[in-house]
Amino acid sequence: MINWYEKLNEYFPIEEMKSKEHMELLLKEKGDVYHKDESPLHVMMYAEFETFIFIDYVWVSSKARGQGIGHKLIEKLKKRNKPIILEVEPVDYEDTDTAKRLHFYKREGFTHAQSIGYNRRSLATNEENKMEILYWSPNDESEEMIYEQMKKMYENIHTYKDEELYGKSYQPVDEVLVYDEDRDAEDILDTLSATKNM
């Protein structure tokens, strides 16, 4: 029987994965914030802070796709009435899963934070990894507020004990996250509809 970490590791690209030690340390030492929700058919890792929730990873078994498991997981978090933030890869036309994931979050009412730039160097591959931020907000929070919350998450979760765990540090938050209202980024959820109709 493969464990929860192996399920995530098979599904997510290496540059997006934390090490198993990192996640176990977060669950142990930051158990008031970092959580694992799992069943044989799903794994969701998320961090819940006082003012927001960050979804780190969601995996649903291919056997259970279309059964509404992902929807139920998101609904459970929405009931806490806080903004929900997550990172996604831009659409990769070679990888149909990226578009499927974006369609899913669009259906769930998420918005693309177009003014937040997010480039993180992977410690595993040493390559720049450009991601986009999606968020769901019950009270119409501004993207600036989402940006502040992402910074908090990056410093508390992504880079937690990074030197001890990986032998080197991730970049400082100000190199990774940029807030710019004039950032020239198209809405990845809008372009999704355009590509779907082509």
Side-chain angles (χ1 to χ4, degrees):
M1 184 69 185
I2 67 169
N3 69 28
W4 60 271
Y5 185 79
E6 287 160 349
K7 290 171 185 173
L8 294 176
N9 210 20
E10 278 176 15
Y11 185 66
F12 286 93
I14 182 170
E15 61 272 12
E16 288 174 36
M17 280 302 292
K18 292 177 176 60
S19 69
K20 187 167 193 228
E21 295 70 31
H22 188 167
M23 289 204 230
E24 285 176 339
L25 203 60
L26 286 167
L27 288 165
K28 189 173 141 205
E29 296 184 2
K30 289 201 171 251
D32 54 332
V33 171
Y34 199 75
H35 309 281
K36 174 172 52 144
D37 179 329
E38 78 172 309
S39 76
L41 295 175
H42 83 274
V43 179
M44 177 167 70
M45 312 297 288
Y46 67 98
E48 181 168 7
F49 294 89
E50 212 172 299
T51 52
F52 71 101
I53 294 169
F54 173 76
I55 298 177
D56 207 0
Y57 301 97
V58 178
W59 169 87
V60 174
S61 165
S62 53
K63 294 187 199 97
R65 299 257 166 92
Q67 289 179 20
I69 291 176
H71 172 70
K72 285 182 192 128
L73 292 171
I74 300 292
E75 279 302 303
K76 199 154 72 171
L77 296 181
K78 283 181 176 175
K79 286 193 173 109
R80 309 208 178 139
N81 209 33
K82 300 173 183 181
I84 302 171
I85 306 173
L86 54 98
E87 305 163 358
V88 290
E89 306 141 290
V91 176
D92 173 354
Y93 296 103
E94 309 288 302
D95 175 5
T96 53
D97 270 357
T98 58
K100 280 186 197 143
R101 274 196 289 273
L102 290 172
H103 278 295
F104 169 74
Y105 289 116
K106 185 173 184 170
R107 279 198 307 274
E108 294 299 325
F110 280 74
T111 302
H112 176 209
Q114 288 164 262
S115 48
I116 303 175
Y118 185 44
N119 278 308
R120 192 171 97 181
R121 186 172 295 286
S122 160
L123 291 183
T125 63
N126 204 31
E127 287 181 18
E128 282 272 316
N129 196 20
K130 185 178 185 299
M131 302 286 278
E132 297 294 337
I133 306 300
L134 299 184
Y135 68 97
W136 174 85
S137 163
N139 305 309
D140 221 16
E141 272 81 5
S142 69
E143 288 193 10
E144 194 165 5
M145 187 182 169
I146 299 298
Y147 166 70
E148 292 303 331
Q149 293 168 335
M150 264 306 289
K151 280 170 60 171
K152 180 176 180 179
M153 182 287 306
Y154 181 80
E155 293 184 314
N156 282 278
I157 302 297
H158 282 352
T159 62
Y160 184 65
K161 296 198 172 173
D162 51 0
E163 211 157 320
E164 182 183 311
L165 289 159
Y166 302 102
K168 49 191 169 184
S169 298
Y170 278 107
Q171 300 134 285
V173 69
D174 295 334
E175 271 180 33
V176 173
L177 281 157
V178 182
Y179 178 75
D180 177 5
E181 285 179 5
D182 302 321
R183 180 173 173 248
D184 188 21
E186 55 186 354
D187 186 326
I188 56 172
L189 298 177
D190 269 2
T191 47
L192 204 56
S193 316
T195 55
K196 197 180 176 184
N197 300 329
M198 278 165 77

